[in-house]
Each structure stands twice: as structure tokens, then as C-alpha cells.
Amino acid sequence: MNRLIANRGLLQIFFALQLVIGIMFIFNYIVYKNSISGIYDKVSDNNRMVIKNVIQSFDTSFSSINNLIFNIHALPSDRIQADSGGLDMEKVITLQDNLTSIVSNVDIVEDVIISFDDHDLAITTRGTSNLDALFDRRYTSQRYNSMFWKNLTRSEHEFTVFPAEVYMDQSTGYGRNLMIAVDSNKVRLSNKNLMILINVNKLLKGIDLNSMIPGASLIVLDANRNVILSTEKDLDLVDILNDVYFNPSQEASLTHGNYEYNFYKSEYNGYIYINKLPYKFQNIDSVTDANQWIMYGAIVLAVLMSLLLSVYLYRPVKNIVKLLGGSTLKGNDFVKIQSGIIKVQRENESLKKQMDLVDEEIRRGVFLQTLDGQNHSREQEIQMQKQYTHFFQSRHFVMAAIYLQPEDKPDSEGGFVLEELTAAIRSDLTARYEHAVVYHIEHLQFLALIGLDQPSERKKLVQRFEEFLGAAKQGYLQAFGVWGCVSRAFESKISNCRAAYENIKEGLLYRHVNEGTVIVDTERIRYVPELYFPLQEIEKLSNCMLSGKVDEGLRIVNEIIQENVSLQIHHHQMVHIAKSMFFFVLKQAESSSADRSELFQLESAFIRKVDHAFTYKEIQEALVEVIRVVANMRNHDPRSKLNPAFISQYIELHYMENLYLDHMAEVLDTSSKYFSNYFKKTFGVNYVEYLNKVRLAHAREYLRNTELSIAEIGEKTGYSNSSTFTTTFKKYCGVSPSEYRKASGK
């Protein structure tokens, strides 16, 4: 039987629909049994919460009235009568101005009337008037006249709120729905009699009465059970109030006729609030009968519709099973459809990931093409333009470069996946900036386009980028040395990408070499006109390598590097200085027995290190390493001093000193006679003649390029007096020093 049902799609659909109908019937029956009675209870609960909010709003309003009365009593007005018997109008005007200022902060107050027992003067926010004129013309009532108010205010009375009533203005014919609160005078705070005119419309406007049950009304009674406000006209509460016993600490309710009366008492002033609402919906029986017929009719129609749908859906279900490739699976048609859908979802997810990768590579290719600065075909430009909106979503942008260098740390992870690294950087930047696009360029270098609305926002952007690098270094980039560079701001045009990239490269070249700098700001780079390049010290470095004085050579290198660091020179300048010192040092390695291929590898490694170095210490360490390697190549021995390279270089560096034959023999650890014979045999001339040629070569440079005197030049080139210098110069050059200078000048 089960196999028969599983193979008949028609029965499967029919019974599936019957199951749905059964569930619907159960829920409909529950709703039917509970909705009619439950709706009224829920509506009543909601209405009770609304009434409590209304009471709180009334209490707030009456509290503001009490505060207003207290503030008015505090106004100075004990003597408004002048010594002559009349009124002191200056004090009256001052009191009226202060009254206007205080009342303006309470929206529900229409007006305030200040009167005195011994005067008919009435001071209001609109000016001063006579009490008779005020209540017989401006605030005219069918119940109360001016005489009533005068007698009330001047006799002893409690704080009283009179019921809401329309008061007419005889001059304009305009009526206002007002409640008048008369302050108590049993305990006098001042000599003022106060009447507060409360605008009922404004009072009710601040209270949401529309949230009550339709047909409900609200009645407000004062502490003496006098009605002061009602939203329903012609309401008789005599029978209702006689039937209810109201406990001030509890709420009370009473059913009278077709209405339910809920009583609430304010904890603030003892006022009683009565909420009148219908306790039963009208025509409830007819509604119940209609719901029963609707429920039964819906069940019958649902059964008929399920039968028709079973016939109608049988063939489409079979076709869907075939399309999803589930015909070979076991189970009923719905199991096959579910399996096919799961398979399609997996294939779609895999395809989506592949398409995302393809789109990302296309965007990266377009981005790299914008950096090459070359012209492209029209078709290529059209394809590139489709991706431009992905790069720019703000009016301006900056380009930021991120450079990583693996660090060999014991606790760091050596391996990393480039795609995961790119995704982590992109996710971090997009979380910090509204729009950021990140791409891997080459090696461990990344470029980001960060959008900004105004160029003035760039300074804050650079600070946040520096914070990003610091946080990344402490987090997922802790296995790398991290530093970056930020270009200046550009308008969001694809043509400006090339200019921004050039600005980044210039920033890397002209950055100041300074340890601890995490980020290079291209706008803060300044040209450095001076650098420290002492040629004499660098030549001395070469001599130190020749003579095996490694420590002295290291001192010279460190001194030159530190001096240039203090000058804050640019990176490319420090690289040039380091390469110059390198070649002076390498010159001594070439004179050793070192293999040429070994020297080539040493040079390649050094250039690669200094070109990729970010701090001056990396450059300094590369030079120190080269000095130690070259010193090991020479495998220094004191007897190795007696060689032509060392002798010629030593004379070149010390020609201005007294280089006697005995002195040279002492430097070279040999005898004077042996050194003299070795020198003539090696250089082809005797030592004195060679020394004079070196000295006179430098003397000719001084004569051509300086204004020094003949005697000063002779002293600088190692001659004890000017006559010896002149005689020797004429002997070797054929003319005197002064004649040589004149000829050089011409």
C-alpha cells in the first residue's frame, strides 16, 4: 500500500493538501473560540493603559499650574499703591511684564488674572483692566458674572477648579472653552488673588484621547466629586456615583446599562477620572454565527479546491522531478524535488563563488590597467568604464599603499594565503571607511582607493589609516613589518588614478628616513637641500678595509648614517649614500682573492636590501653586514699591507702629512731600504718622486678652484714652506704656481 501511494503523485498532492486543510481548521477553530471574547479583554487592557497615561498627562498639567501659581506669588507686588493714593504704574507694568514672561512657558494657560482685595485693578498677560470690564466683556459666561468672581476672590476659599465652559469675548464674538482655577487664600503667600484660565482644547490636544475604545468617554471630577471636565455632554452621574464605593487606594468599576464605568484616582491631587466604555460589542451573536458559517464554508471549499489542485498539479510535479534530475532517487516525488533543489542550491552557491572571483579579477585587472598610463582601444575603454562605479562612490578619493615585510619571529606564523590576506585587509578598511576598494598589486604590496566627500576630510582620514595599520600590526598582520603611504586628495576620475599612483611612488622615494614612522603622508614631505657626504671619511673607510681596521670602518659608517638621519634626508638620498659607501668598500674586496660571482651576489643582495628598506637602521645593518663580509674575504694579515693598492691609497689619504720614508716603512712593518727598493720596483719611480706628483696634483686643483695663497696651498699639500713648494712645483710643472694660476684663469 505504501509503495502504491508513493508512486501515485495525484494521491500525494491530495493528502498533502488535506493535511494543510486540517491544520488550518484547527487554528481557525481556536481563533473562533477565543477571538470574540479575547478581543474585548485585550482592547479593555489597552484602554486601561491609555487612561493611566491620560491621568499622568493631567497630573503633569495640574502640576505645571501649581508651579505657575507659586512663581506668580513670588513676584514682588506688596505695594503697588503710591504714597499719593493712586497706583504706582511702574510697579504695575513691571509685574505685568514678569507675569507675561512666566506664563509664556505654559502652553495650556490662556490667561492669568491678578487682582487685589482693595482694588478693582486686574493685571493679565495682555495688559491691565478692570475686573468688571474683564468678566463682563472679555470673558462672559452664562453662569458667572464679574460680581461672582469678585466676591469669590475676596472671600475665604479653597483652591477650586470650575467646570469647563465657553467664555465669549463681546468685542470679537469669539468663544473659548476654558476651565478657571482660583487659587486658595486661606494661607496667604502674597496679597495677590490669582485666577488661572486653562484652555481646554489645548489641554486635550496634548492628551491622546483617540487611543481609547471607540464610543468611550472621559469624565474628570475634583476631590469634592464635582465634574470639571467631560468629553460627553448631558452626562448624569448621580445614580452611578451613589452605587459605587470608591476606595482611594484601589481602582473601581461599575456596570450600568450597556456601559462599564472604570474609576481611577490621581495620587497627585485626589481627582477622580471616570472612563465610560461599552462593556459588550453590539450584534455579538450575529458576528458569532457569521464566523461559524465562514469557517464551515471555508472547509468545504478547501476540500474541493484541494481535489482540483491535485489533478492540476500532478503533471507539473512530474516535470519538475525530471528537470531536477531526481527520477533515479528513491522515495516519493516530494522527496525527489527536495533533493533536486538542494543539489541546485549547492551548484548555484559554487557558481556564485566562481563568478565573484571572476568579477573581482576583472576589477583588479581594470584597476591595474588604469595605473599603467597607456592608451587603450575603444572597446577596452568601454569594458573598463563598466567598473568605474565600483571604484568611486564619493566626490574625491585618496590612494593608500600598504607594504608588508615578513618578519622571522619565533612566535609568528610563517605561512599565509595571499587571497585571505587581501580579504582581511579589504574587510578591515571597509569597516572603517564608508567606501574603500583594496587590491593586491605585487609581492606583499596593496593599493586602496578610499573615498571622501571633501578634501578637508583628508587629515582625519590619514589619522584613521595610521590607526588601522597599528591595529592590524597587533592583530592579523603581527607576522609582518607594516608601513603605508597616503597620496594627496584627487577628484573622483579614473584618469586621476595614475596621478595618485605616481604621487605614492614619489612619496616612497622622498619620504624622510626615520625609525618608528608607520605611515608616509605625501603632503608632509619637504625637500631636504643638504646631506652629509664626507668624501675624505669615505676614502678613509676604504683605507680601513684595506688595512683591516674593521671597527674603525664601522664607526665611520655609523657616524655618516646618524648625521644624515639628524638632517632628515630623503630615503633615496640615504640609498645613494649607502651605495656609494658600498662601492668604496667593495673596491677592497675586488683587490682580494674573492670570486667574481661571490662579489656579484653580495652586490645584488645589498642593493635589494637597501631598495626595500624602510628605516635607516635596515640600511645601516646592510652596510655593516657588507663590511664584515668584505673583511672576511680579505682574511686580513699585517704582511698584506705591503701591496700596491694599500700603499697608493695610504699616500692619497695622507699626502699632506710628513710622509718620510721611515714613516712609511714603520706603517708597513718593514725596513726603509726594503720599502724603497719594493716601491721603485713596483711603481717604476722612487717614493719621493711619486709623493711629489700626488701632492702637486692636489696643488693644481687648489690653484684652479680656490683663492688660497701660494703659501697656504703649499702648507695644505705637505710642504714645510712656500719656497720649497714653488721650487718643486716649477721643477715638475715647468712654471711657477702663480703662472699656472694665471694660465688656468685664462
Side-chain angles (χ1 to χ4, degrees), residues 65 68-69 72 109 111-112 179-181 194-198:
I65 295 298
L68 177 62
I69 292 173
I72 295 175
V109 174
D111 202 351
V112 175
M179 289 192 306
I180 298 182
L194 296 184
M195 300 175 67
I196 311 298
L197 280 64
I198 304 171

Side-chain angles (χ1 to χ4, degrees), residues 361-379:
E361 285 301 316
I362 290 175
R363 295 191 187 102
R364 180 174 179 270
V366 170
F367 180 70
L368 294 178
Q369 288 177 354
T370 61
L371 302 182
D372 60 17
Q374 303 297 326
N375 295 326
H376 300 279
S377 64
R378 179 61 179 171
E379 292 76 10

Side-chain angles (χ1 to χ4, degrees), residues 82-273:
D83 296 336
S84 60
L87 295 176
D88 189 341
M89 294 309 298
E90 183 178 354
K91 292 183 178 180
V92 171
I93 293 173
T94 302
L95 177 61
Q96 193 270 330
D97 290 340
N98 293 334
L99 177 64
T100 303
S101 176
I102 294 175
V103 174
S104 63
N105 297 323
V106 185
D107 294 335
I108 64 174
V109 174
E110 179 72 21
D111 202 351
V112 175
I113 302 173
I114 300 177
S115 62
F116 303 90
D117 292 340
D118 51 353
H119 295 285
D120 286 338
L121 174 69
I123 301 174
T124 69
T125 59
R126 295 176 173 82
T128 60
S129 179
N130 184 277
L131 280 174
D132 294 333
L134 190 66
F135 286 103
D136 291 339
R137 297 178 184 176
R138 184 183 299 176
Y139 301 112
T140 303
S141 170
Q142 294 180 357
R143 293 185 183 182
Y144 314 109
N145 56 16
S146 60
M147 184 59 67
F148 170 80
W149 296 115
K150 288 167 64 176
N151 293 334
L152 175 66
T153 57
R154 294 176 183 178
S155 61
E156 186 175 332
H157 60 272
E158 298 283 351
F159 177 82
T160 307
V161 178
F162 287 84
E165 187 176 349
V166 176
Y167 290 81
M168 300 296 298
D169 189 339
Q170 298 297 332
S171 60
T172 61
Y174 177 72
R176 299 176 180 85
N177 190 14
L178 304 176
M179 289 192 306
I180 298 182
V182 181
D183 184 31
S184 172
N185 61 1
K186 287 189 175 182
V187 179
R188 285 277 187 172
L189 298 178
S190 69
N191 65 339
K192 308 179 189 71
N193 297 323
L194 296 184
M195 300 175 67
I196 311 298
L197 280 64
I198 304 171
N199 192 313
V200 177
N201 295 333
K202 291 183 179 179
L203 178 64
L204 296 178
K205 185 177 181 181
I207 300 171
D208 188 10
L209 297 178
N210 295 326
S211 301
M212 295 191 304
I213 296 177
S217 58
L218 179 67
I219 304 98
V220 182
L221 284 69
D222 62 10
N224 297 322
R225 295 198 177 187
N226 296 317
V227 177
I228 62 173
L229 180 64
S230 175
T231 60
E232 181 178 349
K233 295 182 179 180
D234 302 328
L235 179 65
D236 187 6
L237 296 176
V238 176
D239 296 336
I240 299 172
L241 294 176
N242 291 332
D243 293 340
V244 67
Y245 170 75
F246 185 71
N247 188 342
S249 63
Q250 298 178 352
E251 299 178 2
S253 61
L254 172 67
T255 302
H256 186 79
N258 292 330
Y259 292 91
E260 180 180 349
Y261 296 84
N262 294 320
F263 296 79
Y264 307 88
K265 188 170 184 178
S266 170
E267 297 178 357
Y268 173 71
N269 53 14
Y271 282 18
I272 298 173
Y273 296 84

